[in-house]
Amino acid sequence: PQSDAAMNILHNISQILDTGLDKETLRILTGLIEAGVNPEALALIVKELRREGAAAAAAAAGATSQ
């Protein structure tokens, strides 16, 4: 498990890189990586979830503007 200091550093790096990930999400992702999940696969999943979320938001916005 990540210490609070390490998580704060990781979150600061995440903010500098403008990842949009909050501390809880970073904690979950690092836990999955520590458990052996492939980091590249996780990155692809996060990107896909963001794309799907953006598409759903756009569809919802389009539905309410009609």
Side-chain angles (χ1 to χ4, degrees), residues 25-63:
T25 302
L26 286 169
R27 192 175 307 278
I28 292 167
L29 293 173
T30 55
L32 288 169
I33 292 167
E34 288 174 351
V37 175
N38 182 309
E40 288 85 5
L42 276 177
L44 291 173
I45 291 167
V46 168
K47 287 179 182 180
E48 182 61 27
L49 288 173
R50 285 184 174 172
R51 274 193 291 271
E52 289 178 11

Side-chain angles (χ1 to χ4, degrees), residues 58-66:
T64 58
S65 65
Q66 292 178 3

Side-chain angles (χ1 to χ4, degrees), residues 11-23:
H11 186 248
N12 287 340
I13 293 169
S14 174
Q15 288 181 314
I16 291 168
L17 296 174
D18 196 26
T19 65
L21 299 173
D22 61 21
K23 281 187 181 181

